[in-house]
Amino acid sequence: MGMITLIWAMSRNGTIGRNNQLPWRLPADLKFFKAQTTGKTIVMGRKTWESMGSKPLPNRHSVVITADASYIAEGADVVHSVEEALTYAERGELVIIGGAGVFQHFLPLADRLLVTRIEEDIEGDVFFPHFSWEDFKLVHEEPGVRDEKNPYDYRFLTYERRK
């Protein structure tokens, strides 16, 4: 069974989205996301899939999880349960990319969390679900570079589940 990783960016106040989009521009985070997901199977909910233009990201195997039995996602596999999505972990690492409901379902199963933490309160309408950070240990922290393209202070954090 492959590792289960959750990856997301969030503001200090827990915001992860607004109007089905990321409420910030942070190209360094997108670059980090690409580096962490390329060559892997990514699992997302229907709204996340649609927010990305309903097309698969290059060099990744996309799996869309939805309750809608008739939903078709061209270029992706569609599953209807966490259990069904987990069958893909037999092939290697599963990277869960959102949204909030999907994160909620996979948090209890997560081996690793990759969090881009933006050190600012940002308004949004979707927030990362509450969970016990105590279940995880911070194993790596890297400050992001603030510049004209990346207008926030932010950090890349890697957590592993405590054994």
Side-chain angles (χ1 to χ4, degrees):
M1 181 86 141
M3 184 165 35
I4 297 175
T5 299
L6 274 59
I7 187 170
W8 76 96
M10 73 181 203
S11 63
R12 196 170 45 207
N13 57 326
T15 298
I16 62 171
R18 184 172 58 226
N19 301 326
N20 210 27
Q21 297 294 325
L22 294 173
W24 48 72
R25 259 189 59 71
L26 200 59
D29 176 54
L30 299 178
K31 187 178 169 196
F32 177 76
F33 175 88
K34 183 179 181 180
Q36 296 298 326
T37 58
T38 294
K40 297 175 184 168
T41 298
I42 55 174
V43 178
M44 72 206 81
R46 175 191 58 79
K47 286 187 205 157
T48 299
W49 169 256
E50 291 173 358
S51 78
M52 298 185 327
S54 301
K55 56 184 189 298
L57 294 171
N59 307 313
R60 282 154 276 199
H61 182 147
S62 296
V63 176
V64 178
I65 188 166
T66 175
D68 181 347
S70 63
Y71 193 78
I72 295 167
E74 205 168 318
D77 294 348
V78 176
V79 299
H80 306 291
S81 69
V82 168
E83 295 70 33
E84 211 180 333
L86 286 174
T87 62
Y88 290 89
E90 290 161 17
R91 306 179 194 172
E93 185 178 358
L94 272 192
V95 185
I96 314 306
I97 68 166
V102 175
F103 286 137
Q104 183 84 59
H105 288 301
F106 282 94
L107 264 166
L109 308 169
D111 300 301
R112 189 168 70 136
L113 309 177
L114 298 173
V115 186
T116 302
R117 186 171 156 90
I118 299 166
E119 299 302 336
E120 208 160 304
D121 291 340
I122 296 174
E123 274 185 50
D125 53 22
V126 181
F127 301 88
F128 198 83
H130 290 287
F131 72 104
S132 175
W133 288 94
E134 300 303 309
D135 294 344
F136 295 88
K137 180 174 84 190
L138 180 64
V139 295
H140 185 74
E141 179 173 353
E142 191 179 317
V145 177
R146 183 176 184 150
D147 56 26
E148 63 285 343
K149 289 194 178 88
N150 298 279
Y152 304 98
D153 289 327
Y154 59 100
R155 296 176 291 152
F156 299 110
L157 306 170
T158 303
Y159 294 87
E160 287 176 0
R161 183 174 293 281
R162 293 182 192 275
K163 299 290 176 241

